[in-house]
Amino acid sequence: MADKKFFVIDFDSTFTKVEALDILSDILYEGTDKKIEVGERIKDLTDQAMAGELSFREALEQRLALLEATKKDVSQLSDELKKLVSESVKRNREFFTKEKDNVLIVSSGFKDFITPVVKEYGIKEENIYANTFTYNDKDEVTGFDASNPLSEHKGKVKLMKELALDGDVYVIGDGYTDYEIREAGLAKTFFAFTENVKREKVLAKADVEASSFDEILYSIKHPMATSFPKSKIKVLLLENVHQDAKQKLEDEGYQVELLGGALDEDELCEKIKGVHILGIRSKTMLTRKVVEAADRLMIVGAFCIGTNQIDLDACTEHGVCVFNAPFSNTRSVVEMAIGEIILLMRQIPRRLRQMDRGEWSKSASGSFEVRGKKLGIIGYGNIGSQLSILAEMLGMDVYYYDVVEKLALGNATKLSSLDELLAISDVVSLHVDGRPENKRFFTGEHINKMKKGAILVNLARGPVVELDALQAALDSKHLAGAAIDVFPVEPKNNNDTFDAPVKGDNLILTPHIGGSTLEAQENIADFVPGKMIEYVNTGSSFNSVNFPNVQLPRLENGHRLLHIHKNVSGILAQMNNVFAKHGCNILGQYLKTNEEIGYVITDIDQSYNPELLEDMKAIDNTIKFRTLY
């Protein structure tokens, strides 16, 4: 049939992530001196054959001569290979089941270990073409069946001529022998598969480079596990986000670029074009101008607690879902606050500066224990409440003030006014969020109401404290010390200079490192990418900062339609009219709204009229529409 499609797929480094004989070598020589030597020699022979620099039969003979295997070893190899199937192949398991009559595994490897692996994906045994081992009466591998055309030079070409497939043939593989099928005119398209290995000489001959199986199906307009190839999803990570985050997103199949510093507005406007996912920390200012310049942006991940650096209204209006890490670095900030409180109460910064000036004093004047002192916490959220617990364990009397009703933990005392807290506290620690109304929240008036000789700690937000007033209080000795970790304007990267906005002897200035412990960054690098990946894969917006929170299961045997729209009446009715018009069977529907937007997720049967998608996009007040397969 002229419209019939056949998929001829290589096994090693294509269906699986690895070269099978490399793994067999590891199995045979694990724990011996031969492992590295034999492994490197086999890999070298494989690379030469795949690049067309060595005849396949010669490479095969030389590789098998290095391996002293038995049937038991081959069986163990199959078990290992089942764990090493390519990620995009695993994602598209349904494709192999549906196309079982049209998928052919054509490999220069061996049926003995290939068949148990690919049969689990519904591939018919009669559609598996590969070499076969020969064995002696002790079940030891003695060689291969030399009559099999796949053991010969241009063996795949000879096999394909014998098969004479009637239809469009798509060859998918990583090696030169796969290209030879296309070169012989026996295939419509050769996809150089680069998810696992990229061979430049092969890539130069390819019709298309495919970094995942999704990309192949997308290019031929075939239904796949995702509506858009993961390999085409571009991720930009700024401010030296932890490498674990980059690795997690790359493992998902995304294109990831990691930059060491922040970008200014104009730089980011240019860089964000074509980017689907943006990851930032606290220095990058994601303004409305940047959001409007982003032509593909779906998700922003704030690899920190705060989101005051992000224009959330602009993101919401453009259908961009924002996630942060509200709990991941709580402990690190709290520990730093505790440490700074102790250092300042003991006058350590002042004493160190005296030593730098050649002065020396063992006087106890101005040096106090924290036990029995009053700690005033402004903002009793995740950080403030945990600070409360640790400070109480050190023997401090804890008081707190919050505009929202919060239950006290331990023996902490809730105060009804900020003035009352300031009047009694020996130490005041700020832990307010970055909402606009908190800018210059802590003014000179508040500082003047603090006890004489008290200490101020700000590890919250830079714009919160009026720094000129703080400097005046330090100069006049009204305050005995301060610790500032966040500033109204911060350097974009480590190469920028930074002039301290306040000065004093008993003063700790740090470059926004409260949440920068290794443990905190590792936790954030796990949490934020996890939420972003979940949103891409399922549409789940749970824990989003700006979207209605919807937690969704994975969809099986259907399609998922995601519709983001302005929160106006009648949208759901219009959507259901579209479904009725096209006779579409709804499997499930979820709706959540906030003040600005509505988010509707609809699961439908696998078969539907493609015009349905265009009609969904055309609904009034639609912001974004996305399809998940």
Side-chain angles (χ1 to χ4, degrees):
M1 294 174 60
D3 60 349
K4 194 172 182 64
K5 293 182 175 69
F6 293 97
F7 302 88
V8 176
I9 304 174
D10 186 29
F11 183 76
D12 293 289
S13 296
T14 299
F15 196 94
T16 62
K17 302 176 184 179
V18 294
E19 293 291 321
L21 294 186
D22 292 353
I23 304 302
L24 181 58
S25 173
D26 289 344
I27 291 171
L28 294 173
Y29 302 117
E30 183 65 44
T32 72
D33 295 338
K34 295 177 72 175
K35 180 180 178 180
I36 294 176
E37 178 187 348
V38 173
E40 288 180 351
R41 180 59 182 149
I42 286 178
K43 184 179 185 305
D44 182 53
L45 290 166
T46 299
D47 289 342
Q48 288 182 56
M50 290 300 99
E53 298 169 356
L54 182 68
S55 76
F56 182 77
R57 172 160 287 195
E58 187 178 353
L60 187 59
E61 289 172 343
Q62 290 188 42
R63 284 183 290 175
L64 287 185
L66 293 166
L67 299 169
E68 301 168 358
T70 66
K71 278 188 178 180
K72 183 179 178 182
D73 298 322
V74 173
S75 178
Q76 184 180 347
L77 173 60
S78 288
D79 292 339
E80 290 300 314
L81 293 173
K82 288 175 184 178
K83 306 170 190 174
L84 296 169
V85 173
S86 295
E87 294 301 323
S88 65
V89 170
K90 288 192 287 188
R91 279 199 299 272
N92 288 283
R93 181 187 286 266
E94 188 177 342
F95 161 79
F96 294 97
T97 303
K98 282 187 173 182
E99 297 287 347
K100 60 185 176 182
D101 293 326
N102 306 319
V103 172
L104 288 74
I105 299 297
V106 177
S107 170
S108 301
F110 291 83
K111 270 191 173 185
D112 310 59
F113 54 74
I114 292 174
T115 300
V117 178
V118 302
K119 280 182 69 177
E120 291 194 352
Y121 286 75
I123 295 170
K124 292 182 174 181
E125 189 163 356
E126 59 265 33
N127 284 357
I128 303 169
Y129 298 90
N131 285 296
T132 53
F133 287 125
T134 56
Y135 301 89
N136 61 20
D137 56 3
K138 295 181 181 180
D139 284 342
E140 296 169 334
V141 174
T142 57
F144 56 89
D145 178 6
S147 67
N148 190 324
L150 288 169
S151 69
E152 302 172 17
H153 178 59
K154 294 200 173 182
K156 289 188 178 182
V157 173
K158 294 175 183 176
L159 173 72
M160 293 301 295
K161 284 180 178 178
E162 291 177 11
L163 293 175
L165 300 174
D166 184 17
D168 290 337
V169 176
Y170 298 96
V171 177
I172 302 160
D174 65 289
Y176 195 84
T177 56
D178 304 302
Y179 159 68
E180 287 177 334
I181 300 173
R182 175 73 171 91
E183 182 186 36
L186 299 170
K188 179 180 180 179
T189 306
F190 167 51
F191 291 94
F193 193 79
T194 58
E195 181 173 331
N196 306 305
V197 63
K198 183 179 289 192
R199 307 184 196 279
E200 294 299 337
K201 289 187 178 181
V202 177
L203 194 55
K205 301 287 188 181
D207 296 302
V208 181
E209 177 184 358
S211 56
S212 72
F213 207 82
D214 308 293
E215 197 162 334
I216 295 167
L217 299 182
Y218 182 76
S219 71
I220 63 173
K221 297 181 170 54
H222 194 292
M224 54 187 175
T226 58
S227 58
F228 189 70
K230 293 192 175 187
S231 56
K232 288 185 177 293
I233 294 177
K234 293 184 178 180
V235 181
L236 176 62
L237 302 177
L238 301 179
E239 303 182 59
N240 207 28
V241 165
H242 197 282
Q243 280 286 341
D244 284 0
K246 181 176 186 285
Q247 188 62 55
K248 187 166 186 175
L249 293 164
E250 285 180 336
D251 288 346
E252 191 65 16
Y254 305 155
Q255 296 180 45
V256 185
E257 182 179 5
L258 173 61
L259 300 182
L263 299 176
D264 64 29
E265 186 177 59
D266 289 338
E267 290 172 328
L268 190 51
C269 281
E270 187 61 32
K271 192 71 176 175
I272 205 168
K273 288 181 172 62
V275 170
H276 300 88
I277 299 174
L278 175 67
I280 62 175
R281 294 175 70 183
S282 57
K283 294 183 177 70
T284 299
M285 302 306 295
L286 189 61
T287 63
R288 177 174 290 276
K289 181 180 175 181
V290 175
V291 174
E292 290 174 350
D295 53 351
R296 296 290 181 86
L297 194 61
M298 295 167 48
I299 309 169
V300 173
F303 285 72
C304 51
I305 293 176
T307 56
N308 57 298
Q309 74 278 36
I310 299 170
D311 191 324
L312 294 176
D313 290 339
C315 287
T316 304
E317 290 167 20
H318 287 78
V320 177
C321 194
V322 179
F323 295 98
N324 69 336
F327 313 109
S328 299
N329 61 359
T330 299
R331 179 71 180 201
S332 61
V333 175
V334 169
E335 285 189 3
M336 184 164 164
I338 289 288
E340 291 184 335
I341 289 168
I342 293 172
L343 289 172
L344 291 168
M345 291 289 288
R346 297 297 297 270
Q347 296 272 315
I348 301 299
R350 178 175 65 83
R351 292 171 186 270
L352 290 174
R353 289 184 173 92
Q354 287 176 335
M355 290 175 66
D356 285 342
R357 296 193 294 264
E359 301 171 9
W360 178 256
S361 172
K362 294 177 66 175
S363 169
S365 175
S367 180
F368 302 98
E369 297 178 1
V370 297
R371 181 178 53 178
K373 301 301 182 292
K374 293 180 173 61
L375 170 64
I377 299 173
I378 301 174
Y380 205 65
N382 298 320
I383 294 175
S385 56
Q386 191 167 142
L387 174 60
S388 168
I389 294 169
L390 294 188
E392 189 176 327
M393 290 173 65
L394 291 173
M396 299 188 81
D397 297 327
V398 179
Y399 300 84
Y400 71 93
Y401 171 76
D402 201 306
V403 293
V404 178
E405 186 63 36
K406 298 285 181 69
L407 292 176
L409 298 179
N411 295 313
T413 302
K414 183 181 187 303
L415 299 180
S416 57
S417 76
L418 182 55
D419 286 353
E420 185 181 2
L421 180 142
L422 298 176
I424 66 172
S425 299
D426 300 299
V427 179
V428 173
S429 190
L430 294 168
H431 300 286
V432 300
D433 60 31
R435 70 188 70 182
E437 53 266 36
N438 283 336
K439 187 174 183 178
R440 297 178 71 84
F441 161 80
F442 207 71
T443 65
E445 182 180 351
H446 294 110
I447 291 171
N448 291 333
K449 289 179 178 179
M450 291 174 65
K451 281 177 66 173
K452 183 174 177 57
I455 287 166
L456 177 65
V457 175
N458 181 23
L459 278 69
R461 301 290 184 275
V464 166
V465 176
E466 201 173 82
L467 293 182
D468 291 343
L470 173 60
Q471 183 66 68
L474 293 171
D475 291 341
S476 68
K477 308 299 183 188
H478 176 66
L479 294 186
I484 307 292
D485 185 49
V486 287
F487 305 91
V489 178
E490 298 182 346
K492 291 191 297 181
N493 55 53
N494 294 336
N495 297 321
D496 284 1
T497 57
F498 178 61
D499 295 323
V502 285
K503 294 178 174 60
D505 272 358
N506 202 35
L507 180 66
I508 301 174
L509 300 178
T510 50
H512 205 151
I513 59 172
S516 294
T517 61
L518 181 60
E519 294 89 345
Q521 293 307 307
E522 286 177 346
N523 288 338
I524 293 171
D526 178 66
F527 181 82
V528 176
K531 301 309 296 182
M532 296 192 294
I533 290 168
E534 187 179 17
Y535 180 71
V536 172
N537 289 346
T538 71
S540 176
S541 58
F542 191 68
N543 286 132
S544 167
V545 177
N546 65 326
F547 264 41
N549 273 213
V550 183
Q551 193 163 21
L552 298 163
R554 281 187 174 270
L555 174 65
E556 302 290 342
N557 301 317
H559 293 290
R560 175 165 287 170
L561 310 181
L562 311 176
H563 192 274
I564 305 163
H565 55 269
K566 294 178 183 177
N567 187 11
V568 297
S569 61
I571 299 291
L572 189 59
Q574 290 184 63
M575 290 178 62
N576 288 333
N577 285 338
V578 171
F579 294 132
K581 170 186 170 183
H582 291 284
C584 190
N585 183 36
I586 296 176
L587 305 176
Q589 197 167 53
Y590 314 86
L591 165 67
K592 269 280 186 101
T593 63
N594 60 23
E595 292 180 359
E596 292 82 25
I597 62 171
Y599 186 30
V600 177
I601 302 94
T602 308
D603 295 343
I604 62 173
D605 266 345
Q606 287 181 311
S607 59
Y608 65 88
N609 187 334
E611 292 180 6
L612 166 72
L613 306 183
E614 296 306 315
D615 287 348
M616 292 291 288
K617 294 175 187 176
I619 291 174
D620 291 342
N621 296 298
T622 296
I623 296 173
K624 260 198 177 103
F625 176 74
R626 185 161 65 101
T627 307
L628 293 181
Y629 286 94

